[in-house]
Amino acid sequence: MSAATYPNYSPGLEGVIGGISTISEIISETSSLVYRGYDVHDLASKGCFEETAHLLIYGHLPNQAELDALKKTLANEREVPEQVYTAMKQMPKNAHPMDLTKAGFVAYAPFDPDYAKPATDDAANVAKAIRILAKASTIVGNGHRIRQGLEPLKPKAEHTIAQNFLYLMSGQEPDAKTAHVLDSSLTLYAEHGYNASTFACRVTVSTLSDLFSGVASGIGTLRGPLHGGANEEAMRMLQEIGAPDKAEAWIHDALTNKKKIMGFGHREYKKRDPRAIYMTKVAKELSAEKGQTNWSEIADILEHVMETEKNIYPNVDFPAAYAYYVLGIPIDLYTPIFVIARVSGWSTHMIEQLRNNRLIRPNCIYEGPTSATWVPISER
Ligand code: SDX
């Protein structure tokens, strides 16, 4: 039977309203995205990621004193207990950094000072959200060291979240340009309504489970290439194409063979993803500045063919991929960077869910066999 038989069924829940939220709005017709009323382009170009995180978690943009206080708390909460690193060190060296990140959060949870507080404790949830935000860049950055057999570094109090990740990842003081590009990408990645990973987080805490369990669900859900994993796959695709003069033939061939082009398309945006508009500008400027225009030239050709042939546009993962590459970030850290940003949105959604909770439990239509007759095992 087809989906059309069931008027209330929408495959992939497309178009289904899953809840009411005050956190962000996607306006497909105008290709815009607002976090609590603020245009994401303003937030990315005029503010820093910490301001955006404050806006999401506390519901308003911070004044200077509030921002200073948040940065101080983040600096104080950045470290994780040694046992978390010990747990991460048990994983094989080929573990994907998303799994290391998930392991890091799972190992940290019981050390959290509010671990034993009930899921309905709002103040504890907000405090957990800040600690999750503070520790994410440390877990990802030092996770990268651990898988190389290096010892974790101690985070520096004066660093921003973007700088903390870059410093731990490379062991070197990040330059201002690199930190700025990463910082604005974190703002763009921070929040996006009822996307799959955020929905997974909300489902998890709707059982009155805790924020750390929600983060583990979120990381697991984000990892797939139809979601956050697309930024890694998009870069591998650009590498496979290799050079601008190969791009046109490659994309035509891929489309003929019904391949999904990674970093293109979106369930919500039928035109351009506003984050991709912003990130493309950043990525192109960066590429020109660093004299590495190979990827942006290939990207232009892919975008042109996808638009003219399929009316499909890049999403944020596409320009983010080659911007991160030009910044020298290893490809398999791209989705973990998404985690560093998105924990702010995930936590905010989980807090919102728990403030007005009802168990999330949809229906499904049974199409399996009926009236089966029990046969003893010896006769099967
Ligand atoms: C993120 O939801 C969010 O908000 C997510 C996110 C966030 O911030 O949280 O924005 C982050 O996950 C971005 C998306 C990253 N994924 C990719 O880049 C993977 C490639 N994109 C696609 O597979 C796809 O576009 C999705 C998964 C993003 C959306 O899938 P839908 O809404 O289920 O659409 P679909 O797969 O059913 O496609 C509809 C049509 C199909 O053609 P027809 O069969 O109708 O002829 O569009 C075509 C598809 O073949 N299509 C593509 C395509 N995306 C859609 N064709 C080729 N390449 C693509 N990328």
Side-chain angles (χ1 to χ4, degrees):
M1 260 188 262
S2 76
T5 316
Y6 308 106
N8 294 328
Y9 170 48
S10 173
L13 301 183
E14 179 168 4
V16 171
I17 295 167
I20 294 174
S21 178
T22 62
I23 304 168
S24 68
E25 186 180 16
I26 295 167
I27 309 157
S28 177
E29 306 79 53
T30 53
S31 286
S32 46
L33 169 65
V34 294
Y35 298 166
R36 299 206 187 271
Y38 294 93
D39 191 290
V40 76
H41 288 193
D42 281 341
L43 294 168
S45 61
K46 297 174 186 159
C48 63
F49 173 58
E50 283 79 357
E51 279 176 277
T52 289
H54 188 290
L55 171 69
L56 293 171
I57 295 169
Y58 294 107
H60 65 274
L61 276 178
N63 61 28
Q64 193 61 55
E66 288 169 324
L67 182 61
D68 292 347
L70 174 64
K71 285 186 172 174
K72 199 167 165 209
T73 308
L74 290 172
N76 288 339
E77 298 287 2
R78 201 158 269 162
E79 259 296 8
V80 295
E82 192 52 42
Q83 292 93 325
V84 172
Y85 295 135
T86 306
M88 291 167 76
K89 285 176 186 169
Q90 309 311 308
M91 299 193 81
K93 294 283 174 280
N94 66 348
H96 190 282
M98 284 295 272
D99 285 329
L100 267 176
T101 305
K102 180 148 42 74
F105 272 111
V106 169
Y108 168 70
F111 289 98
D112 190 82
D114 289 326
Y115 178 61
K117 298 266 173 72
T120 46
D121 186 329
D122 190 64
N125 288 339
V126 173
K128 284 178 193 170
I130 298 300
R131 285 193 287 274
I132 288 167
L133 178 67
K135 292 176 199 316
S137 57
T138 303
I139 289 174
V140 176
N142 271 334
H144 182 58
R145 297 184 66 78
I146 287 170
R147 72 184 173 133
Q148 296 173 92
L150 301 169
E151 275 307 306
L153 287 174
K154 199 173 157 37
K156 293 186 178 176
E158 68 272 22
H159 281 162
T160 64
I161 288 172
Q163 288 170 326
N164 184 50
F165 161 72
L166 291 165
Y167 167 65
L168 299 180
M169 176 200 80
S170 66
Q172 285 166 7
E173 204 54 44
D175 66 85
K177 175 79 191 180
T178 302
H180 179 67
V181 169
L182 188 73
D183 186 88
S184 44
S185 78
L186 295 180
T187 292
L188 299 176
Y189 267 141
E191 157 60 15
H192 213 230
Y194 269 45
N195 61 84
S197 57
T198 299
F199 192 58
C201 289
R202 291 191 77 128
V203 169
T204 301
V205 297
S206 85
T207 69
L208 298 184
S209 184
D210 64 289
L211 261 64
F212 296 105
S213 299
V215 166
S217 299
I219 295 171
T221 309
L222 188 70
R223 185 176 169 186
L226 294 186
H227 193 10
N231 56 12
E232 298 180 18
E233 293 305 318
M235 193 60 227
R236 293 200 178 93
M237 173 183 75
L238 292 172
Q239 284 184 316
E240 186 190 322
I241 298 168
D245 63 354
K246 304 254 169 46
E248 186 138 6
W250 189 94
I251 185 82
H252 281 123
D253 185 57
L255 291 177
T256 305
N257 289 303
K258 304 250 173 270
K259 259 195 181 175
K260 283 266 156 70
I261 312 304
M262 290 293 135
F264 282 83
H266 201 278
R267 175 68 65 81
E268 296 297 316
Y269 297 113
K270 293 310 161 205
K271 292 218 153 138
R272 293 182 189 276
D273 174 343
R275 303 165 300 173
I277 297 172
Y278 189 93
M279 201 62 211
T280 300
K281 189 168 162 283
V282 170
K284 281 192 173 181
E285 282 169 10
L286 178 74
S287 304
E289 208 173 289
K290 302 263 181 190
Q292 291 184 49
T293 55
N294 190 47
W295 312 114
S296 63
E297 286 172 37
I298 299 174
D300 280 347
I301 296 164
L302 300 190
E303 284 183 35
H304 177 71
V305 174
M306 286 299 280
E307 183 179 344
T308 50
E309 307 247 321
K310 301 277 292 178
N311 201 22
I312 293 177
Y313 299 88
N315 58 58
V316 63
D317 285 325
F318 190 58
Y322 63 92
Y324 291 162
Y325 193 85
V326 172
L327 292 179
I329 299 172
I331 296 173
D332 58 6
L333 292 181
Y334 298 0
T335 318
I337 292 173
F338 198 153
V339 173
I340 294 172
R342 188 54 64 85
V343 289
S344 60
W346 288 341
S347 293
T348 306
H349 274 272
M350 291 190 281
I351 290 167
E352 184 178 65
Q353 178 69 34
L354 287 163
R355 281 180 185 161
N356 188 19
N357 188 51
R358 185 146 193 241
L359 176 75
I360 298 173
R361 201 287 185 205
N363 281 343
C364 72
I365 295 152
Y366 179 70
E367 285 191 340
T370 53
S371 311
T373 306
W374 171 261
V375 179
I377 197 162
S378 58
E379 294 169 27
R380 280 178 231 158

